[in-house]
Protein backbone atom coordinates (compact mmCIF):
# COMPACT_ATOMS: atom_id res chain seq x y z
CA UNK A 1 0.00 0.00 0.00
CA UNK A 2 1.05 3.62 -0.54
CA UNK A 3 1.97 5.71 2.47
CA UNK A 4 2.42 9.19 0.99
CA UNK A 5 4.19 8.49 -2.30
CA UNK A 6 6.08 5.45 -0.93
CA UNK A 7 5.06 1.83 -1.28
CA UNK A 8 5.15 0.14 2.14
CA UNK A 9 5.08 -3.62 2.59
CA UNK A 10 1.91 -4.86 4.27
CA UNK A 11 0.74 -8.47 3.86
CA UNK A 12 4.16 -9.82 2.87
CA UNK A 13 5.82 -8.67 6.12
CA UNK A 14 5.23 -11.90 8.04
CA UNK A 15 6.38 -14.06 5.14
CA UNK A 16 9.48 -11.91 4.66
CA UNK A 17 10.26 -11.97 8.39
CA UNK A 18 9.93 -15.77 8.48
CA UNK A 19 12.15 -16.19 5.44
CA UNK A 20 14.82 -13.91 6.89
CA UNK A 21 14.65 -15.56 10.33
CA UNK A 22 15.23 -18.96 8.77
CA UNK A 23 18.04 -17.73 6.52
CA UNK A 24 19.80 -16.02 9.46
CA UNK A 25 19.67 -19.11 11.69
CA UNK A 26 23.19 -20.10 12.68
CA UNK A 27 23.96 -23.78 12.06
CA UNK A 28 27.76 -23.57 12.47
CA UNK A 29 28.35 -23.85 8.73
CA UNK A 30 27.35 -27.54 8.94
CA UNK A 31 23.63 -27.24 8.33
CA UNK A 32 20.77 -24.91 7.55
CA UNK A 33 17.22 -24.18 8.74
CA UNK A 34 14.22 -24.56 6.44
CA UNK A 35 10.97 -22.66 6.31
CA UNK A 36 8.92 -25.85 6.68
CA UNK A 37 10.89 -26.58 9.89
CA UNK A 38 9.89 -23.16 11.24
CA UNK A 39 6.24 -23.77 10.57
CA UNK A 40 6.32 -27.30 12.01
CA UNK A 41 8.22 -26.50 15.22
CA UNK A 42 6.17 -23.74 16.83
CA UNK A 43 7.84 -20.87 14.98
CA UNK A 44 11.36 -21.73 16.16
CA UNK A 45 13.95 -22.27 13.41
CA UNK A 46 15.49 -25.73 13.59
CA UNK A 47 18.86 -26.66 12.07
CA UNK A 48 18.98 -29.58 9.64
CA UNK A 49 22.57 -30.82 9.91
CA UNK A 50 24.93 -32.21 7.29
CA UNK A 51 25.76 -35.89 7.75
CA UNK A 52 28.38 -36.43 10.47
CA UNK A 53 27.23 -33.31 12.35
CA UNK A 54 24.67 -33.05 15.13
CA UNK A 55 23.44 -30.84 18.00
CA UNK A 56 20.99 -27.91 18.01
CA UNK A 57 23.42 -25.80 15.97
CA UNK A 58 25.12 -28.71 14.10
CA UNK A 59 28.42 -27.93 15.80
CA UNK A 60 29.14 -31.46 17.10
CA UNK A 61 31.13 -33.72 14.83
CA UNK A 62 30.21 -37.41 15.01
CA UNK A 63 33.57 -39.23 15.06
CA UNK A 64 34.02 -42.36 12.92
CA UNK A 65 30.84 -41.64 10.97
CA UNK A 66 30.71 -43.08 7.45
CA UNK A 67 31.47 -41.04 4.36
CA UNK A 68 28.19 -41.21 2.44
CA UNK A 69 29.12 -40.71 -1.19
CA UNK A 70 26.13 -42.48 -2.69
CA UNK A 71 23.43 -39.98 -3.63
CA UNK A 72 23.63 -37.32 -6.34
CA UNK A 73 22.12 -34.57 -4.16
CA UNK A 74 23.70 -31.46 -5.69
CA UNK A 75 24.21 -29.53 -2.45
CA UNK A 76 27.60 -28.28 -3.64
CA UNK A 77 25.61 -25.35 -5.04
CA UNK A 78 23.98 -24.44 -1.73
CA UNK A 79 26.71 -21.90 -0.78
CA UNK A 80 26.14 -20.05 -4.07
CA UNK A 81 22.48 -19.49 -3.21
CA UNK A 82 23.37 -18.55 0.36
CA UNK A 83 25.42 -15.75 -1.17
CA UNK A 84 22.54 -14.70 -3.46
CA UNK A 85 19.69 -14.33 -0.99
CA UNK A 86 18.13 -11.14 -2.30
CA UNK A 87 18.22 -11.96 -6.00
CA UNK A 88 16.79 -15.46 -5.60
CA UNK A 89 14.03 -14.78 -3.02
CA UNK A 90 10.41 -15.15 -4.04
CA UNK A 91 7.18 -14.03 -2.32
CA UNK A 92 4.02 -15.63 -3.66
CA UNK A 93 0.42 -14.54 -3.07
CA UNK A 94 -2.12 -17.15 -2.02
CA UNK A 95 -4.01 -16.92 -5.32
CA UNK A 96 -0.98 -17.34 -7.59
CA UNK A 97 -1.74 -19.39 -10.77
CA UNK A 98 -4.49 -21.59 -9.37
CA UNK A 99 -5.67 -23.01 -12.70
CA UNK A 100 -4.30 -26.21 -14.24
CA UNK A 101 -3.14 -24.42 -17.36
CA UNK A 102 -1.72 -21.05 -18.36
CA UNK A 103 -3.66 -18.40 -20.33
CA UNK A 104 -2.77 -20.12 -23.62
CA UNK A 105 -4.27 -23.42 -22.38
CA UNK A 106 -0.86 -25.13 -22.15
CA UNK A 107 1.07 -26.49 -19.19
CA UNK A 108 4.19 -24.54 -20.14
CA UNK A 109 5.07 -21.11 -18.75
CA UNK A 110 6.03 -19.06 -21.79
CA UNK A 111 8.14 -16.79 -19.59
CA UNK A 112 10.13 -19.73 -18.25
CA UNK A 113 10.49 -21.11 -21.76
CA UNK A 114 11.98 -17.79 -22.93
CA UNK A 115 14.49 -17.86 -20.07
CA UNK A 116 15.51 -21.44 -20.86
CA UNK A 117 16.17 -20.49 -24.48
CA UNK A 118 18.19 -17.43 -23.40
CA UNK A 119 20.19 -19.53 -20.98
CA UNK A 120 21.15 -22.11 -23.62
CA UNK A 121 22.10 -19.30 -25.98
CA UNK A 122 24.25 -17.61 -23.32
CA UNK A 123 26.04 -20.82 -22.36
CA UNK A 124 26.19 -22.12 -25.93
CA UNK A 125 25.42 -25.70 -24.88
CA UNK A 126 22.27 -26.36 -26.94
CA UNK A 127 20.54 -25.06 -30.05
CA UNK A 128 16.98 -24.01 -29.21
CA UNK A 129 16.03 -21.92 -32.25
CA UNK A 130 13.06 -23.46 -34.08
CA UNK A 131 12.90 -26.16 -31.41
CA UNK A 132 10.02 -27.07 -29.08
CA UNK A 133 10.44 -27.08 -25.31
CA UNK A 134 8.50 -29.20 -22.85
CA UNK A 135 8.73 -29.22 -19.04
CA UNK A 136 8.34 -32.12 -16.64
CA UNK A 137 8.62 -33.08 -12.98
CA UNK A 138 12.40 -33.36 -13.13
CA UNK A 139 14.12 -34.78 -16.17
CA UNK A 140 13.01 -38.15 -14.76
CA UNK A 141 9.47 -37.56 -16.03
CA UNK A 142 10.70 -36.00 -19.28
CA UNK A 143 12.94 -38.99 -20.08
CA UNK A 144 10.01 -41.32 -19.51
CA UNK A 145 7.73 -39.19 -21.70
CA UNK A 146 10.35 -39.36 -24.47
CA UNK A 147 10.49 -43.17 -24.32
CA UNK A 148 6.69 -43.43 -24.53
CA UNK A 149 6.49 -40.89 -27.36
CA UNK A 150 9.30 -42.49 -29.40
CA UNK A 151 7.89 -46.00 -29.14
CA UNK A 152 5.90 -47.25 -32.12
CA UNK A 153 2.14 -47.42 -31.79
CA UNK A 154 0.07 -50.46 -32.79
CA UNK A 155 2.95 -52.86 -33.13
CA UNK A 156 3.38 -56.39 -31.92
CA UNK A 157 7.06 -55.84 -31.38
CA UNK A 158 8.03 -53.42 -28.60
CA UNK A 159 10.88 -50.92 -29.05
CA UNK A 160 14.12 -52.14 -27.46
CA UNK A 161 15.58 -49.56 -25.07
CA UNK A 162 19.35 -49.70 -24.73
CA UNK A 163 22.26 -47.70 -23.35
CA UNK A 164 25.98 -48.35 -23.45
CA UNK A 165 27.58 -49.61 -20.22
CA UNK A 166 28.12 -47.97 -17.79
CA UNK A 167 24.67 -46.37 -18.03
CA UNK A 168 22.59 -44.19 -15.71
CA UNK A 169 20.76 -46.55 -13.32
CA UNK A 170 17.34 -45.01 -13.81
CA UNK A 171 17.39 -45.72 -17.57
CA UNK A 172 17.11 -49.41 -16.74
CA UNK A 173 14.97 -49.13 -13.60
CA UNK A 174 12.41 -46.80 -15.13
CA UNK A 175 12.15 -48.61 -18.46
CA UNK A 176 11.72 -51.95 -16.71
CA UNK A 177 9.13 -50.55 -14.34
CA UNK A 178 7.02 -49.04 -17.13
CA UNK A 179 7.79 -51.84 -19.57
CA UNK A 180 4.77 -52.59 -21.78
CA UNK A 181 3.73 -53.65 -25.26
CA UNK A 182 5.37 -50.43 -26.45
CA UNK A 183 8.89 -50.83 -25.09
CA UNK A 184 11.20 -52.96 -22.98
CA UNK A 185 14.73 -52.65 -21.64
CA UNK A 186 17.32 -54.59 -23.58
CA UNK A 187 20.57 -53.66 -21.79
CA UNK A 188 23.91 -52.72 -23.25
CA UNK A 189 23.89 -50.84 -26.57
CA UNK A 190 27.24 -52.48 -27.56
CA UNK A 191 25.68 -55.96 -27.32
CA UNK A 192 22.71 -54.86 -29.42
CA UNK A 193 25.02 -53.52 -32.14
CA UNK A 194 26.21 -57.05 -32.86
CA UNK A 195 22.71 -58.57 -33.11
CA UNK A 196 21.68 -59.83 -36.57
CA UNK A 197 18.05 -58.73 -36.12
CA UNK A 198 19.23 -55.29 -34.97
CA UNK A 199 18.50 -53.37 -38.16
CA UNK A 200 14.85 -54.43 -38.45
CA UNK A 201 13.81 -53.69 -34.84
CA UNK A 202 12.82 -50.34 -33.38
CA UNK A 203 15.50 -49.27 -30.94
CA UNK A 204 15.68 -46.35 -28.51
CA UNK A 205 19.14 -45.52 -27.21
CA UNK A 206 19.78 -43.39 -24.15
CA UNK A 207 22.99 -41.40 -24.49
CA UNK A 208 23.91 -39.69 -21.23
CA UNK A 209 26.55 -37.12 -22.08
CA UNK A 210 28.43 -36.30 -19.88
CA UNK A 211 27.75 -39.72 -18.51
CA UNK A 212 26.57 -40.70 -15.07
CA UNK A 213 28.56 -42.51 -13.58
CA UNK A 214 31.89 -41.96 -15.40
CA UNK A 215 31.65 -38.31 -16.54
CA UNK A 216 32.66 -39.05 -20.16
CA UNK A 217 31.16 -37.21 -23.14
CA UNK A 218 29.42 -40.27 -24.51
CA UNK A 219 28.50 -40.78 -28.17
CA UNK A 220 25.63 -42.78 -29.64
CA UNK A 221 26.53 -46.39 -30.46
CA UNK A 222 23.57 -47.17 -32.73
CA UNK A 223 22.52 -45.42 -35.94
CA UNK A 224 19.93 -46.13 -38.60
CA UNK A 225 16.35 -45.58 -39.71
CA UNK A 226 14.86 -47.59 -36.84
CA UNK A 227 17.04 -46.03 -34.16
CA UNK A 228 15.83 -43.12 -32.02
CA UNK A 229 18.24 -41.46 -29.62
CA UNK A 230 17.49 -39.61 -26.39
CA UNK A 231 20.38 -37.42 -25.30
CA UNK A 232 20.37 -36.93 -21.55
CA UNK A 233 22.24 -33.64 -21.16
CA UNK A 234 21.71 -33.26 -17.39
CA UNK A 235 25.45 -32.61 -16.86
CA UNK A 236 26.17 -30.65 -20.06
CA UNK A 237 27.03 -27.45 -18.19
CA UNK A 238 30.42 -25.81 -17.64
CA UNK A 239 30.28 -27.05 -14.03
CA UNK A 240 31.11 -30.58 -15.14
CA UNK A 241 32.58 -30.56 -18.63
CA UNK A 242 34.18 -28.56 -21.39
CA UNK A 243 31.45 -27.46 -23.84
CA UNK A 244 33.00 -28.41 -27.21
CA UNK A 245 29.94 -27.26 -29.21
CA UNK A 246 26.29 -26.35 -28.96
CA UNK A 247 24.43 -29.67 -28.89
CA UNK A 248 21.91 -30.02 -31.71
CA UNK A 249 20.31 -33.42 -31.31
CA UNK A 250 16.67 -34.35 -32.04
CA UNK A 251 15.81 -34.93 -28.37
CA UNK A 252 17.91 -33.32 -25.62
CA UNK A 253 16.94 -33.50 -21.96
CA UNK A 254 18.10 -31.04 -19.28
CA UNK A 255 17.34 -30.47 -15.61
CA UNK A 256 17.38 -27.72 -13.03
CA UNK A 257 18.74 -30.31 -10.57
CA UNK A 258 22.33 -30.32 -11.87
CA UNK A 259 22.29 -26.74 -13.18
CA UNK A 260 21.23 -24.68 -10.16
CA UNK A 261 21.28 -27.59 -7.68
CA UNK A 262 17.50 -27.41 -7.00
CA UNK A 263 16.78 -31.12 -7.33
CA UNK A 264 13.87 -30.80 -4.89
CA UNK A 265 12.04 -28.36 -7.16
CA UNK A 266 11.57 -31.20 -9.68
CA UNK A 267 11.89 -29.30 -12.93
CA UNK A 268 13.38 -30.71 -16.10
CA UNK A 269 12.91 -29.98 -19.79
CA UNK A 270 13.42 -31.37 -23.24
CA UNK A 271 14.45 -29.52 -26.40
CA UNK A 272 12.79 -31.26 -29.34
CA UNK A 273 13.14 -30.85 -33.11
CA UNK A 274 10.07 -32.67 -34.36
CA UNK A 275 6.63 -31.15 -33.76
CA UNK A 276 4.80 -34.49 -33.91
CA UNK A 277 7.08 -35.90 -31.22
CA UNK A 278 6.61 -32.76 -29.12
CA UNK A 279 2.83 -33.19 -29.33
CA UNK A 280 3.06 -36.83 -28.28
CA UNK A 281 5.21 -35.89 -25.30
CA UNK A 282 2.71 -33.15 -24.35
CA UNK A 283 -0.08 -35.72 -24.51
CA UNK A 284 1.95 -38.00 -22.27
CA UNK A 285 2.30 -35.15 -19.73
CA UNK A 286 -1.45 -34.56 -19.83
CA UNK A 287 -2.26 -38.20 -19.17
CA UNK A 288 0.59 -38.78 -16.74
CA UNK A 289 0.24 -35.79 -14.41
CA UNK A 290 -1.97 -33.11 -16.00
CA UNK A 291 1.06 -30.93 -16.56
CA UNK A 292 3.86 -29.63 -14.38
CA UNK A 293 3.63 -27.79 -11.07
CA UNK A 294 3.26 -24.08 -11.72
CA UNK A 295 4.96 -23.41 -8.38
CA UNK A 296 8.00 -25.33 -9.63
CA UNK A 297 7.93 -23.37 -12.89
CA UNK A 298 7.74 -20.06 -10.99
CA UNK A 299 10.64 -21.07 -8.71
CA UNK A 300 12.68 -22.14 -11.74
CA UNK A 301 11.87 -18.82 -13.41
CA UNK A 302 13.21 -16.82 -10.44
CA UNK A 303 16.34 -18.96 -10.14
CA UNK A 304 17.17 -18.87 -13.85
CA UNK A 305 16.59 -15.11 -13.89
CA UNK A 306 19.19 -14.80 -11.12
CA UNK A 307 21.56 -17.08 -13.04
CA UNK A 308 21.25 -14.86 -16.13
CA UNK A 309 21.51 -11.59 -14.21
CA UNK A 310 24.73 -12.68 -12.52
CA UNK A 311 26.69 -13.21 -15.75
CA UNK A 312 28.96 -16.23 -15.47
CA UNK A 313 28.98 -16.29 -11.66
CA UNK A 314 27.19 -19.58 -11.04
CA UNK A 315 29.26 -21.34 -13.68
CA UNK A 316 32.50 -19.95 -12.25
CA UNK A 317 31.49 -21.03 -8.75
CA UNK A 318 30.37 -24.50 -9.85
CA UNK A 319 33.39 -25.12 -12.10
CA UNK A 320 35.83 -23.91 -9.42
CA UNK A 321 34.19 -26.18 -6.83
CA UNK A 322 33.98 -29.30 -9.02
CA UNK A 323 37.49 -28.80 -10.43
CA UNK A 324 38.98 -28.47 -6.97
CA UNK A 325 37.11 -31.58 -5.75
CA UNK A 326 38.21 -33.59 -8.78
CA UNK A 327 41.83 -32.54 -8.31
CA UNK A 328 41.75 -33.49 -4.61
CA UNK A 329 40.26 -36.88 -5.48
CA UNK A 330 42.86 -37.49 -8.20
CA UNK A 331 45.71 -36.53 -5.84
CA UNK A 332 44.37 -38.89 -3.17
CA UNK A 333 43.87 -41.81 -5.55
CA UNK A 334 47.25 -41.23 -7.20
CA UNK A 335 48.91 -42.32 -3.93
CA UNK A 336 47.35 -45.75 -4.30
CA UNK A 337 48.13 -48.78 -6.46
CA UNK A 338 44.86 -50.36 -5.43
CA UNK A 339 42.42 -47.90 -7.02
CA UNK A 340 42.18 -45.97 -10.29
CA UNK A 341 39.97 -43.33 -11.94
CA UNK A 342 39.01 -42.95 -15.63
CA UNK A 343 41.19 -40.91 -17.98
CA UNK A 344 40.36 -37.24 -18.22
CA UNK A 345 41.41 -35.94 -21.63
CA UNK A 346 41.35 -32.16 -22.06
CA UNK A 347 39.14 -30.60 -24.74
CA UNK A 348 38.47 -27.09 -25.99
CA UNK A 349 35.62 -25.39 -24.10
CA UNK A 350 33.71 -22.76 -26.08
CA UNK A 351 32.23 -21.32 -22.88
CA UNK A 352 35.60 -20.56 -21.25
CA UNK A 353 37.51 -20.20 -24.55
CA UNK A 354 40.25 -22.51 -23.31
CA UNK A 355 41.29 -26.13 -23.21
CA UNK A 356 40.13 -27.77 -20.01
CA UNK A 357 39.45 -31.16 -18.42
CA UNK A 358 36.22 -32.70 -17.22
CA UNK A 359 35.29 -31.78 -13.66
CA UNK A 360 32.91 -34.70 -13.20
CA UNK A 361 30.00 -35.03 -10.82
CA UNK A 362 31.13 -38.53 -9.81
CA UNK A 363 34.32 -40.47 -9.32
CA UNK A 364 34.01 -43.80 -11.16
CA UNK A 365 36.48 -45.68 -9.01
CA UNK A 366 37.97 -49.02 -10.02
CA UNK A 367 39.48 -51.58 -7.64
CA UNK A 368 42.58 -52.84 -9.46
CA UNK A 369 43.57 -55.85 -7.30
CA UNK A 370 42.49 -59.22 -8.66
CA UNK A 371 40.90 -60.21 -5.33
CA UNK A 372 38.93 -56.92 -4.96
CA UNK A 373 36.02 -58.01 -7.14
CA UNK A 374 33.54 -56.33 -4.80
CA UNK A 375 34.86 -52.79 -4.66
CA UNK A 376 31.78 -51.56 -2.77
CA UNK A 377 32.61 -53.98 0.07
CA UNK A 378 36.27 -52.88 0.07
CA UNK A 379 35.20 -49.28 0.56
CA UNK A 380 32.41 -50.12 3.01
CA UNK A 381 34.94 -51.86 5.27
CA UNK A 382 36.77 -48.51 5.30
CA UNK A 383 33.56 -46.63 6.23
CA UNK A 384 32.90 -45.27 2.73
CA UNK A 385 29.48 -45.75 1.14
CA UNK A 386 29.45 -45.53 -2.65
CA UNK A 387 27.22 -47.18 -5.29
CA UNK A 388 27.90 -50.60 -6.74
CA UNK A 389 29.03 -50.95 -10.35
CA UNK A 390 26.26 -53.43 -11.25
CA UNK A 391 23.70 -50.67 -10.79
CA UNK A 392 25.23 -49.09 -13.90
CA UNK A 393 25.33 -52.37 -15.84
CA UNK A 394 29.07 -52.65 -15.07
CA UNK A 395 31.26 -54.95 -12.95
CA UNK A 396 31.27 -54.58 -9.18
CA UNK A 397 34.96 -53.86 -9.54
CA UNK A 398 33.64 -50.30 -10.01
CA UNK A 399 32.04 -48.01 -7.46
CA UNK A 400 30.52 -44.58 -8.07
CA UNK A 401 31.50 -41.91 -5.56
CA UNK A 402 29.36 -38.79 -5.50
CA UNK A 403 31.31 -35.52 -5.61
CA UNK A 404 28.30 -33.17 -5.73
CA UNK A 405 27.17 -33.26 -2.11
CA UNK A 406 28.12 -30.77 0.62
CA UNK A 407 31.71 -29.68 1.28
CA UNK A 408 31.49 -31.59 4.59
CA UNK A 409 30.52 -34.78 2.75
CA UNK A 410 33.40 -34.34 0.35
CA UNK A 411 35.96 -33.57 3.09
CA UNK A 412 34.94 -36.70 5.01
CA UNK A 413 35.14 -38.79 1.84
CA UNK A 414 38.71 -37.63 1.20
CA UNK A 415 39.63 -38.23 4.84
CA UNK A 416 38.29 -41.81 4.77
CA UNK A 417 40.01 -42.51 1.44
CA UNK A 418 43.29 -41.20 2.84
CA UNK A 419 42.92 -43.45 5.90
CA UNK A 420 42.27 -46.46 3.65
CA UNK A 421 45.09 -45.73 1.23
CA UNK A 422 47.62 -44.98 3.98
CA UNK A 423 47.26 -48.62 5.12
CA UNK A 424 48.47 -49.95 1.74
CA UNK A 425 51.98 -51.43 1.66
CA UNK A 426 54.61 -48.99 0.45
CA UNK A 427 52.14 -46.19 -0.06
CA UNK A 428 53.42 -42.73 -0.95
CA UNK A 429 52.27 -39.93 1.36
CA UNK A 430 51.39 -36.32 1.08
CA UNK A 431 49.74 -33.71 3.27
CA UNK A 432 46.11 -32.91 2.42
C1 LIG B 1 22.03 -38.50 -15.99
C2 LIG B 1 20.87 -38.09 -15.17
N1 LIG B 1 19.71 -37.85 -15.77
C3 LIG B 1 18.63 -37.50 -15.08
C4 LIG B 1 18.67 -37.37 -13.70
C5 LIG B 1 17.41 -37.06 -12.97
O1 LIG B 1 17.34 -35.75 -12.65
P1 LIG B 1 16.01 -35.00 -12.24
O2 LIG B 1 16.25 -34.50 -10.86
O3 LIG B 1 15.89 -33.91 -13.23
O4 LIG B 1 14.85 -35.94 -12.31
C6 LIG B 1 19.86 -37.60 -13.03
C7 LIG B 1 19.93 -37.49 -11.56
O5 LIG B 1 20.87 -37.81 -10.92
C8 LIG B 1 20.99 -37.98 -13.78
O6 LIG B 1 22.16 -38.25 -13.20
Amino acid sequence: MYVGDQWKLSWSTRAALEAETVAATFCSGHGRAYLDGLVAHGNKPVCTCNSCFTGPDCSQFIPHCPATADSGNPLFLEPFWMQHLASSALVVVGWHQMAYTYEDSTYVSKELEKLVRRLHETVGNAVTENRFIIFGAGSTQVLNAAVFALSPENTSSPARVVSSVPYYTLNKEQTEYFSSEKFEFEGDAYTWRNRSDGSSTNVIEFVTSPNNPDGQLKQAILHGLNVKTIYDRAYYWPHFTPIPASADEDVMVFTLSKLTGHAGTRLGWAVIKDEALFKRMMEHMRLNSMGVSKDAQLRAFRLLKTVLEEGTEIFDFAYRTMKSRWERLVRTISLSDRFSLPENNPQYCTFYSKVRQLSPAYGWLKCEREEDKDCFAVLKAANIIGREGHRYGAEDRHVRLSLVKTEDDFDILIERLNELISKEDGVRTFEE
Side-chain angles (χ1 to χ4, degrees), residues 71-74 136-143 167-171 174 207-213 232-235 253-258 262-269 361-362 387 400 404:
S71 94
N73 273 331
S139 58
T140 300
Q141 194 190 22
V142 179
L143 290 165
Y167 49 69
Y168 171 48
T169 313
L170 219 77
N171 292 161
Q174 197 180 53
V207 180
T208 304
S209 187
N211 195 24
N212 174 359
D232 183 340
R233 293 288 191 178
Y235 299 92
V253 179
F254 291 88
T255 169
L256 199 68
S257 305
K258 314 296 169 173
H262 293 80
T265 299
R266 309 307 301 129
L267 201 286
W269 63 94
Y362 307 99
R387 275 209 183 144
R400 189 194 79 166
V404 290

Side-chain angles (χ1 to χ4, degrees), residues 143-144 147 161-179 183-188 204 206 208 212 232 389-394:
L143 290 165
N144 188 232
V147 174
V161 182
V162 297
S163 188
S164 57
V165 168
Y167 49 69
Y168 171 48
T169 313
L170 219 77
N171 292 161
K172 175 177 191 281
E173 289 180 342
Q174 197 180 53
T175 311
E176 282 182 348
Y177 183 75
F178 290 111
S179 160
F183 57 82
E184 56 189 37
F185 192 70
E186 192 65 36
D188 191 5
I204 299 171
F206 279 115
T208 304
N212 174 359
D232 183 340
H390 73 255
R391 294 175 67 172
Y392 306 90

Side-chain angles (χ1 to χ4, degrees), residues 229-283:
T229 317
I230 301 170
Y231 281 85
D232 183 340
R233 293 288 191 178
Y235 299 92
Y236 199 51
W237 298 103
H239 316 13
F240 309 108
T241 173
I243 307 290
S246 207
D248 189 17
E249 292 109 13
D250 290 357
V251 184
M252 302 182 275
V253 179
F254 291 88
T255 169
L256 199 68
S257 305
K258 314 296 169 173
L259 163 63
T260 67
H262 293 80
T265 299
R266 309 307 301 129
L267 201 286
W269 63 94
V271 181
I272 306 156
K273 263 188 200 167
D274 179 51
E275 186 171 10
L277 179 69
F278 165 71
K279 285 186 173 157
R280 286 177 74 172
M281 285 177 72
M282 280 299 232
E283 181 63 356

Side-chain angles (χ1 to χ4, degrees), residues 141-162:
Q141 194 190 22
V142 179
L143 290 165
N144 188 232
V147 174
F148 269 98
L150 286 169
S151 299
E153 279 178 89
N154 311 321
T155 168
S156 54
S157 162
R160 308 303 156 111
V161 182
V162 297

